[in-house]
Each structure stands twice: as structure tokens, then as C-alpha cells.
Amino acid sequence: MYMNGHVKSAVRVLDILELYASTDKALALRDVVGILGLPKSSAYMLLSTLVARGYLKRDGNELYRLTPAMDQGGWVGGIAGQVFRAAQPWLDRLLEAQEESVVLGAPTTGMDVRLLSYRISPQTIRYEVKDLVIIPGYCTALGHAILSHLPEDQVRGHLGSIERAQLTPHTLTDIDAIMERLAQDRAQGFALNIDERFEGAAGAAVAICDPEGRPHAALNIVTVTPRFRRKQAAIVAALSEAARAIEAEVFGQSHDLKGLSA
């Protein structure tokens, strides 16, 4: 069976391998189904095949991960895996420099964001990150950073198809208001989120794009709102530097930005 000129089963196998290459977490069948949007029966058969062929291993809790031999040297060529590997030292540098929680996320097929990797702030009062979480795109800095680089008609259609819950008094739910915010994010090169998903939590995010401007991931620093307001300029500058460096490593060059200002 073909899908957009490609063999569907081959595409799904590569999607699964790229997913596992882009995370350091073991994933269950339900995780693969939810993240990649695959039918459960198909995902199970593909995972079983990859286990049988020695690409994945399955533990007693029905969790899958790359086998040690496959997890060495960045063998998977998918962009998500490449971004994940290139970002790891930058996550460490951002944590050391800012002492705030740092998150790397990638877009899902449903235009939400799956968290690929993170570092937790050493400060007593901090933003905590849950393992293997998918967060909404319409009301988060990571989501806005990614959505701002997608075609406007595609984003508007997506927003019209989902429930946009009012999570806090500051959450934008009106489509026109969100689109206006995304245009601002695209122009300035970063997205902000102040108390929109959680009261008292704020952060900034910068997209990681290929040279044509297509977003493949985003970097986010998030903390408590008062600290973020004091450190916003430094946080945005640090995220921008890291994102451009990751782009250069993965794609050979960074995509063009009109300018950054915090």
C-alpha cells in the first residue's frame, strides 16, 4: 500500500525507529500508538518485528527501547533523532547558564508537542516536567514556536478542529487572537507563554528549523513567572543561540531570521 508515493509499512517502520532514536525513554505500545497515530494492531506487529530482528528490545513491563547495539553512534538518520542528539549538550549548557528547566519538544502529527528531552532546574522552586508527555500546541510556548513556522491556513484549520480549553484566565482560545500571536512570534523569532497553561509558570521557546524554515523541534526554558520576567532577555538570547547552533549541526546551516528582540 502506498502513502503519498511511499510504502506505508516502510514509512511506519522508519517513524517508529526515529521516535525511539529521539528519546532516551522506554516507550510502551500505547505510547507509540498515541504519538504516531498508528492503529494499535499495526503498531504491535511492527514493534514485534523490530524486536525479532534485533532493533528493539522489550522488557517484562512491555516497554520497548532500542537495543544497545542500535543505540550507539546515531545510526538512525531521521531528523528527529539527529536533532535529539545534537541538542543534548545544549540542554546541559542552558541548564548550567540559566538554572531553569529546559525542554526539547517536537511536533506531533496532530500539531501538539511531544517532549523529547529535558533538564530540571536545581532551584527549590521550579517547573517540573513529566516523563513522556504530549502537551497542547495551541497554548504553550513550544507549540506556538512550532506553529508560527507552519502555513497559516494549515494552522487555522487545525485550531478550528480542536477544543481550545480555557486553562487559565490568560489562555488564548480565540482563533484570530492565536493567529495574531503566532504572527508576532514568527516576526520576533521566539514565542512567549506567561501564565497561559499554568498560573505562575512562564517561559520562552525558539523553533529549530531546516534552511527552508520548516520546524522540526523547539527549545524551551520555563520557570516561575516572577523569575522569568527578570530573566526574559537572557533566556531568549540563550535559546536563540542554542537553536541556531543545533540547526547548523543538523542541517549544515541555520534558517534566516528577521531579527530577535526580547
Side-chain angles (χ1 to χ4, degrees):
M1 184 176 295
Y2 290 84
M3 180 175 61
N4 297 327
H6 305 288
V7 179
K8 182 183 291 187
S9 59
V11 171
R12 287 175 170 175
V13 166
L14 291 173
D15 284 346
I16 290 173
L17 290 175
E18 289 174 8
L19 172 62
Y20 279 95
S22 69
T23 181
D24 52 5
K25 304 296 181 183
L27 308 180
L29 171 62
R30 65 178 179 276
D31 302 320
V32 174
V33 169
I35 292 170
L36 297 180
L38 300 178
K40 184 176 181 180
S41 58
S42 297
Y44 176 76
M45 293 300 296
L46 292 172
L47 288 171
S48 298
T49 299
L50 289 169
V51 169
R53 295 299 297 267
Y55 291 90
L56 298 178
K57 63 178 180 178
R58 180 176 56 215
D59 65 21
N61 295 318
E62 299 299 315
L63 296 175
Y64 300 79
R65 65 170 66 245
L66 289 174
T67 59
M70 295 297 101
D71 203 18
Q72 301 298 318
W75 69 276
V76 175
I79 292 175
Q82 294 177 52
V83 169
F84 173 83
R85 289 185 286 274
Q88 296 312 300
W90 283 100
L91 295 177
D92 294 332
R93 293 171 197 169
L94 289 169
L95 177 65
E96 181 178 5
Q98 302 299 323
E99 295 190 325
E100 304 293 356
S101 296
V102 187
V103 186
L104 175 71
T108 70
T109 55
M111 294 193 185
D112 287 322
V113 181
R114 61 184 172 98
L115 304 192
L116 300 180
S117 189
Y118 58 84
R119 303 290 188 271
I120 299 298
S121 168
Q123 304 204 50
T124 302
I125 301 175
R126 62 196 181 193
Y127 181 84
E128 293 283 355
V129 182
K130 296 180 180 179
D131 288 345
L132 191 66
V133 67
I134 296 179
I135 63 174
Y138 78 94
C139 64
T140 58
L142 279 168
H144 280 197
I146 291 169
L147 292 176
S148 68
H149 288 275
L150 293 175
E152 292 184 19
D153 57 347
Q154 181 182 356
V155 175
R156 185 175 287 275
H158 161 68
L159 293 173
S161 70
I162 64 170
E163 179 184 358
R164 302 175 303 280
Q166 185 82 46
L167 301 178
T168 78
H170 307 281
T171 308
L172 292 182
T173 59
D174 178 74
I175 293 177
D176 288 336
I178 296 174
M179 295 301 298
E180 182 178 349
R181 172 76 65 79
L182 295 178
Q184 177 182 338
D185 296 339
R186 182 166 53 252
Q188 66 190 9
F190 60 90
L192 297 178
N193 185 292
I194 311 292
D195 300 331
E196 293 183 51
R197 185 169 177 234
F198 299 112
E199 285 273 18
V206 174
I208 297 169
C209 301
D210 60 28
E212 288 71 43
R214 291 185 293 265
H216 295 278
L219 274 174
N220 172 221
I221 290 180
V222 58
T223 182
V224 293
T225 301
R227 282 210 308 263
F228 178 78
R229 291 190 185 279
R230 293 195 301 270
K231 302 168 68 173
Q232 178 179 323
I235 285 173
V236 169
L239 286 171
S240 301
E241 178 189 10
R244 302 295 80 82
I246 294 167
E247 289 174 348
E249 180 172 342
V250 174
F251 303 108
Q253 67 182 89
S254 296
H255 80 289
D256 292 332
L257 290 176
K258 296 182 184 298
L260 292 168
S261 62

